[in-house]
Amino acid sequence: MSTRKSRTWRMPAETETQARTWLAWPAQWYPPDADPDEARAAWAAVANAILHHGGQPVTILVTKDEEKQAKIRVPDATLVVIQHDDGWVRDSGPTFVVDATGQRLGAVDWVFNAWGAQPWTRWAWDARVATAIANQVQAEILPSELVTEGGDIHTDGQGTFLVTETVKLDPFRNLGWTRERVEEAFERVFGECKLIWLSRGLTADYGPYGTRGHIDLVATFAGPGRVLVHSQESSDHPDHEVSERVVKLLSDSTDAQGEPLTVTRVPAPKQVRDESGEWLDWSYINHVVCNQAIIACNFGDDHDERANDILRDAYQRDVFPIDARPLFARGGGAHCITQQQPRLPWPAPGSKEQET
């Protein structure tokens, strides 16, 4: 990997102080027979948990048609009317970064094509969401030619990144790209950095509404040198082998400073199949880190409390669970519908942020 320049922009770890959390209110409903009110309630539950327990404000992108619903369900949030296609702002929104002084906010605008041009969605407006959010806070826009999403990027804040091959090298995203070219795209933003490549994501994430392997169901950093990994304990589930390979890979890896990683297993929920018999990708890894708390995905499962205890110990923060089953039924979890913004003066002078 080339190290031809020092890092000028840094992506802070999620454990660092945040200015606020962004969400995008759902603007289309799927599966086609899904209950819109169930989706609205699921997004509202995450937003309200952050507002009431996380210790930071929430800003929600809303379409004009859904503005009233969002205001009723999340009355303490700031609403910004911006046209968008979907509710997965982790993926369509920007990756926030700070400059070397920590005083300037940047926003990486990855190319977004709806998880490899998935046939069930549209993304003409979502492809502009990163720029729209950046303009709201006067962040410097850092365009990238790499097609990817925030759900396939986890960092320790010190130049180490976790990614998956099936996302970054997906021919429907980055046809003909190599690991080296992806690493060069990261270096153009972050300077010298290290990517740790996982071969794939969880099995169900390759289904009809999946992302083809996002990292934020599989592993995340709880701090420098400390990684939490989804551990499927049922040997019948195909993710048992997936998670064992991830544990071994990360246990044998070092971070950008050459230091070994400490791996903590987080058990998968005990339930392994849905009502139709399909494998589940329910994951406690897909939590939201806030300034004062962790907003955890729970599933009405026997392993919920066990996982909550591990998260509480790993982050040394309170854990507040939400029922994530309606989110996962639509293709993701609490982390997928949120995007953290590092703390800088807010609102910035001349900010276009508007209350509704």
Side-chain angles (χ1 to χ4, degrees), residues 258-280:
E259 297 296 324
L261 301 176
T262 299
V263 175
T264 299
R265 293 172 179 264
V266 181
K270 187 174 181 180
Q271 184 176 341
V272 296
R273 294 183 185 268
D274 64 17
E275 294 178 354
S276 67
E278 297 295 322
W279 295 114
L280 289 166

Side-chain angles (χ1 to χ4, degrees), residues 179-219:
R179 282 190 179 191
E180 290 74 22
R181 187 174 176 187
V182 172
E183 289 171 352
E184 287 173 358
F186 268 69
E187 287 180 6
R188 279 192 284 275
V189 177
F190 305 110
E192 184 178 351
C193 57
K194 177 175 182 176
L195 273 61
I196 300 176
W197 291 85
L198 280 62
S199 62
R200 55 164 295 146
L202 301 186
T203 300
D205 200 20
Y206 297 85
Y209 298 104
T211 69
R212 301 183 186 134
H214 272 186
I215 192 70
D216 65 359
L217 293 172
V218 185

Side-chain angles (χ1 to χ4, degrees), residues 24-104:
W25 198 253
Q28 64 173 319
W29 314 109
Y30 54 84
D33 60 349
D35 179 359
D37 275 341
E38 184 180 69
R40 292 178 181 120
W43 263 253
V46 174
N48 284 319
I50 296 168
L51 283 163
H52 298 154
H53 304 294
Q56 59 205 71
V58 168
T59 298
I60 305 176
L61 305 187
V62 295
T63 60
K64 197 63 182 174
D65 291 344
E66 284 291 315
E67 184 180 9
K68 182 177 180 181
Q69 282 284 344
K71 188 64 175 177
I72 291 171
R73 293 172 184 268
V74 196
D76 296 327
T78 297
L79 306 184
V80 181
V81 178
I82 292 177
Q83 187 64 38
H84 58 282
D85 297 301
D86 222 319
W88 308 99
V89 77
R90 173 71 54 180
D91 297 338
S92 60
T95 293
F96 283 112
V97 294
V98 297
D99 76 340
T101 70
Q103 298 300 310
R104 293 172 57 214

Side-chain angles (χ1 to χ4, degrees), residues 272-325:
V272 296
R273 294 183 185 268
D274 64 17
E275 294 178 354
S276 67
E278 297 295 322
W279 295 114
L280 289 166
D281 62 354
W282 290 353
S283 173
Y284 300 110
I285 298 298
N286 202 270
H287 50 268
V288 183
V289 180
C290 301
N291 290 333
Q292 297 178 6
I294 305 299
I295 310 305
C297 290
N298 277 194
F299 305 93
D301 189 88
D302 291 346
H303 288 178
D304 284 354
E305 284 306 315
R306 183 177 161 202
N308 293 343
D309 287 343
I310 293 172
L311 295 180
R312 189 177 295 110
D313 182 65
Y315 290 102
Q316 293 296 295
R317 303 182 194 196
D318 290 336
V319 172
F320 292 91
I322 55 96
D323 185 353
R325 286 171 288 187

Side-chain angles (χ1 to χ4, degrees), residues 100-353:
T101 70
Q103 298 300 310
R104 293 172 57 214
L105 185 66
V108 185
D109 183 9
W110 312 105
V111 179
F112 180 74
N113 74 345
W115 312 280
Q118 296 277 19
W120 43 266
T121 191
R122 58 181 188 262
W123 63 91
W125 286 109
D126 273 359
R128 308 175 191 179
V129 161
T131 297
I133 291 176
N135 287 339
Q136 286 290 314
V137 296
Q138 293 191 330
E140 180 175 340
I141 297 170
L142 308 171
S144 174
E145 62 180 347
L146 180 67
V147 182
T148 194
E149 305 89 36
D152 194 54
I153 301 169
H154 265 311
T155 186
D156 63 354
Q158 299 182 4
T160 314
F161 293 86
L162 304 177
V163 299
T164 62
E165 289 186 358
T166 55
V167 171
K168 296 293 186 285
L169 306 183
D170 179 7
F172 295 96
R173 287 173 168 101
N174 299 299
L175 180 63
W177 281 51
T178 62
R179 282 190 179 191
E180 290 74 22
R181 187 174 176 187
V182 172
E183 289 171 352
E184 287 173 358
F186 268 69
E187 287 180 6
R188 279 192 284 275
V189 177
F190 305 110
E192 184 178 351
C193 57
K194 177 175 182 176
L195 273 61
I196 300 176
W197 291 85
L198 280 62
S199 62
R200 55 164 295 146
L202 301 186
T203 300
D205 200 20
Y206 297 85
Y209 298 104
T211 69
R212 301 183 186 134
H214 272 186
I215 192 70
D216 65 359
L217 293 172
V218 185
T220 188
F221 286 103
R226 296 185 292 120
V227 185
L228 305 179
V229 175
H230 176 84
S231 180
Q232 177 52 254
E233 296 176 342
S234 172
S235 58
D236 294 333
H237 197 304
D239 287 339
H240 176 73
E241 183 179 355
V242 172
S243 59
E244 289 304 306
R245 288 181 177 179
V246 171
V247 167
K248 183 171 191 318
L249 171 68
L250 294 176
S251 297
D252 293 341
S253 296
T254 56
D255 63 17
Q257 284 69 46
E259 297 296 324
L261 301 176
T262 299
V263 175
T264 299
R265 293 172 179 264
V266 181
K270 187 174 181 180
Q271 184 176 341
V272 296
R273 294 183 185 268
D274 64 17
E275 294 178 354
S276 67
E278 297 295 322
W279 295 114
L280 289 166
D281 62 354
W282 290 353
S283 173
Y284 300 110
I285 298 298
N286 202 270
H287 50 268
V288 183
V289 180
C290 301
N291 290 333
Q292 297 178 6
I294 305 299
I295 310 305
C297 290
N298 277 194
F299 305 93
D301 189 88
D302 291 346
H303 288 178
D304 284 354
E305 284 306 315
R306 183 177 161 202
N308 293 343
D309 287 343
I310 293 172
L311 295 180
R312 189 177 295 110
D313 182 65
Y315 290 102
Q316 293 296 295
R317 303 182 194 196
D318 290 336
V319 172
F320 292 91
I322 55 96
D323 185 353
R325 286 171 288 187
L327 292 170
F328 274 80
R330 288 160 174 80
H335 189 261
C336 304
I337 69 168
T338 60
Q339 180 61 269
Q340 73 279 353
Q341 178 186 331
R343 177 169 289 174
L344 291 177
W346 180 281
S351 170
K352 297 179 182 177
E353 184 191 27

